[in-house]
Amino acid sequence: MKLSQFKVRGFSDKPTFIKFLGNYEQLVEIGKSLTKADKALKKKLAAADETNEEDAPTALEVSVSCNDVTISGYFEYIDRFDDGFVLRKDKCVYIDKKPDGTTEEKKTYDHYKILKAGKDKTLKISIAGIKKLYKLEEGNLYTVLAGNVAMEPPYHRDECRLMVLHKKSGNIEMFKTDSKGEPLKDKEGNPKYLDFRDVLNYFDEGDVFIFNDTKVFPARLYGTKEKTDAKIEVFLLRELNEEMRLWDVLVEPARKIRIGNKLFFDDSGSMVAEVIDNTTSRGRTLRFLSDYDNHDEFKRDLYALGEPPLPRYILDHRSVKPEDEEDFQCIYAKHEGAVTAPATGLHFSREMMKRMEIRGVNFAYITVHCALGNFNEIEVEDLTKHKMDSEQMIISAEACNIVNSAKEKGHHVCAIGTSVAKATETAVGTDGLLKEYDGWTNKFIFPPYDFGLADTMIANFYHPQSTLLMCTAAFGGYDLVMKAYHMAIENGYKFGCFGDAMLIMND
């Protein structure tokens, strides 16, 4: 198949709404900054090339509020500008809410903000830049909805929406129904969407779920370069040698880091690393020079300096929060080694696992240490020429016994996520049974593909043109899965690791 066949019409991961929660004084400052920006930038706008406002798509809505006072505005993209694009804010209104509930418009501002485009002429929206313009200090609360991508998990991890695909019949379910098959409705008369807990309704005693029990470690660190104090992001990939404390890492910006450079990771200077090799354009080998007698203590202190490795598509729109450490980890995570979470597993709560156990559903655990290759862009149109990064995987005899017993008795075998699908297809035998495995896999699954083990699968809604979507389409059938993705866009489903889920049944 071709890469272009996995585009999804209407999908957007650009910011569409930002809400700041500041104090009253900051709102006053916002008003001042808007008027100053208007005066300073109108001259630049006047000097721009002729713009085409009629074709400018809506891009960003901003609301700044505190107690009963709100400033809100609306952004449009306006092409063109010599060095990029113009982000224009029209009708930024300062609204005062009266005690009786009525509102009064106090003043209307016009505001323009110049943003440079990248080499590919795509618009880059900087949250930090907007915060700086508004004079909002670090630590203020704000939320971002980035198009179709979920920036936050549901309040309860098992409350995301669920869409159910039936491979053979081609039916797609989105709504809850009563005993007669009629859609259930809420108080406003709108149909109720299925949620993740409804997964239980599709499985019975003896069925088996295969989970990936890899554990995410705090892989993203920030250090300073010796002498220059330049801030460097260091992303830990894996430990190469425990005794020598060698690590395979990615660094950003890579151009500043050469062999022999030293990086400092804390104020005391106790955690120091030296660059000893270049592996790729961004890849480096680090040797940590810190003096520890106990390796566990070293890793404890190293991880204490790190943060949860949220995907870049989230970090581009918000900062890491303390609760991300728990939210970006499956509740059954056990074996440390992943630099990103197996996203589908994030939906399972302890309460839901207990309900499954009571129903008689069995659990089998395998380990696949999810790597960053899941987020690599595919740079070839012909998918047969794409090369996947390798990931370490382990399948025990116990897991094989649980899965094979269920399959031989005719029960459902459900793969939880694409990492499980990839691993089990790596280790399945020609007899259709799961085999023990301890090694690496770089298996790339895309349509058409005949799966040899699982007959059902749960997946997230992944980014278009990603290897994760391709694996899902291979399992559910290209046409059906792409139809489901377009239905998801139309009905407001959320994509990404904190987004909604899809159950694919073989009926």
Side-chain angles (χ1 to χ4, degrees), residues 234-459:
V234 176
F235 196 100
L236 303 174
L237 296 177
R238 61 191 179 98
E239 190 172 33
L240 300 173
N241 186 297
E242 179 178 315
E243 183 177 349
M244 297 181 66
R245 299 197 181 97
L246 298 181
W247 281 79
D248 187 17
V249 306
L250 298 176
V251 295
E252 187 68 36
R255 67 183 184 279
K256 295 184 178 181
I257 302 302
R258 298 180 174 88
I259 294 175
N261 288 157
K262 289 183 179 180
L263 300 174
F264 294 82
F265 294 94
D266 60 358
D267 295 333
S268 66
S270 60
M271 189 66 70
V272 185
E274 181 182 10
V275 180
I276 65 170
D277 194 14
N278 295 334
T279 54
T280 64
S281 59
R282 292 178 56 217
R284 302 289 187 272
T285 300
L286 296 188
R287 178 174 61 210
F288 284 88
L289 307 176
S290 308
D291 187 18
Y292 283 87
D293 295 328
N294 186 291
H295 183 260
D296 291 337
E297 291 181 4
F298 161 70
K299 289 186 74 173
R300 180 198 64 201
D301 290 351
L302 178 65
Y303 288 175
L305 298 170
E307 65 183 28
L310 295 179
R312 180 56 61 186
Y313 61 76
I314 290 180
L315 288 183
D316 283 346
H317 304 308
R318 73 165 177 87
S319 302
V320 172
K321 300 182 295 185
E323 51 266 35
D324 288 325
E325 184 174 355
E326 179 179 350
D327 292 339
F328 199 58
Q329 191 81 268
C330 298
I331 61 167
Y332 47 78
K334 184 177 182 180
H335 300 292
E336 181 184 280
V339 295
T340 186
T344 307
L346 297 176
H347 300 301
F348 288 87
S349 65
R350 289 179 176 81
E351 293 76 13
M352 184 170 175
M353 298 283 281
K354 189 63 179 179
R355 289 171 61 199
M356 293 168 63
E357 184 180 335
I358 292 171
R359 176 161 290 203
V361 175
N362 296 314
F363 307 147
Y365 296 97
I366 67 173
T367 304
V368 187
H369 292 316
C370 302
L372 288 184
N374 293 297
F375 302 108
N376 287 348
E377 288 189 16
I378 298 178
E379 298 178 346
V380 292
E381 178 67 12
D382 183 355
L383 297 182
T384 61
K385 297 179 181 179
H386 177 66
K387 302 298 181 184
M388 290 284 288
D389 290 351
S390 294
E391 295 174 312
Q392 187 179 13
M393 55 172 278
I394 301 170
I395 298 178
S396 66
E398 180 183 4
C400 292
N401 291 336
I402 295 171
V403 172
N404 294 337
S405 176
K407 186 165 185 179
E408 289 173 337
K409 293 176 182 178
H411 294 295
H412 286 306
V413 175
C414 185
I416 306 303
T418 57
S419 65
V420 170
K422 176 169 57 178
T424 53
E425 287 303 300
T426 299
V428 67
T430 55
D431 57 358
L433 299 179
L434 190 61
K435 311 298 182 183
E436 292 182 60
Y437 194 98
D438 188 346
W440 296 75
T441 181
N442 63 349
K443 195 172 189 67
F444 176 30
I445 299 176
F446 59 92
Y449 183 90
D450 293 325
F451 283 78
L453 186 75
D455 68 327
T456 59
M457 177 182 179
I458 303 177

Side-chain angles (χ1 to χ4, degrees), residues 67 196 313 496:
N67 299 328
F196 194 75
Y313 61 76

Side-chain angles (χ1 to χ4, degrees), residues 26-39 109-111 132-135:
Q26 288 170 331
L27 290 175
V28 174
E29 290 300 313
I30 290 169
K32 293 178 181 178
S33 69
L34 292 177
T35 54
K36 288 179 181 178
D38 179 63
K39 293 177 181 177
Y109 301 96
D110 289 323
H111 162 55
K132 182 178 180 181
L133 178 72
Y134 286 161
K135 300 184 180 179

Side-chain angles (χ1 to χ4, degrees), residues 3 16 23 45 63 109 116-117 229 246 352 361 368 411 491:
L3 175 64
T16 55
N23 57 41
L45 188 66
S63 174
Y109 301 96
K116 291 185 179 180
D229 286 337
L246 298 181
M352 184 170 175
V361 175
V368 187
H411 294 295
N491 288 273

Side-chain angles (χ1 to χ4, degrees), residues 167-185:
K167 290 171 61 175
K168 293 180 180 178
S169 68
N171 291 334
I172 297 178
E173 297 179 65
M174 292 193 299
F175 304 111
K176 297 177 183 286
T177 58
D178 58 21
S179 58
K180 298 180 180 179
E182 297 296 324
L184 296 176
K185 297 186 178 181

Side-chain angles (χ1 to χ4, degrees), residues 8 25 30 33 50-51 85 90 128 164 405 469 474:
V8 179
E25 287 74 19
I30 290 169
S33 69
E50 183 177 356
T51 61
F85 291 79
D90 289 324
V164 182
S405 176
L469 166 56

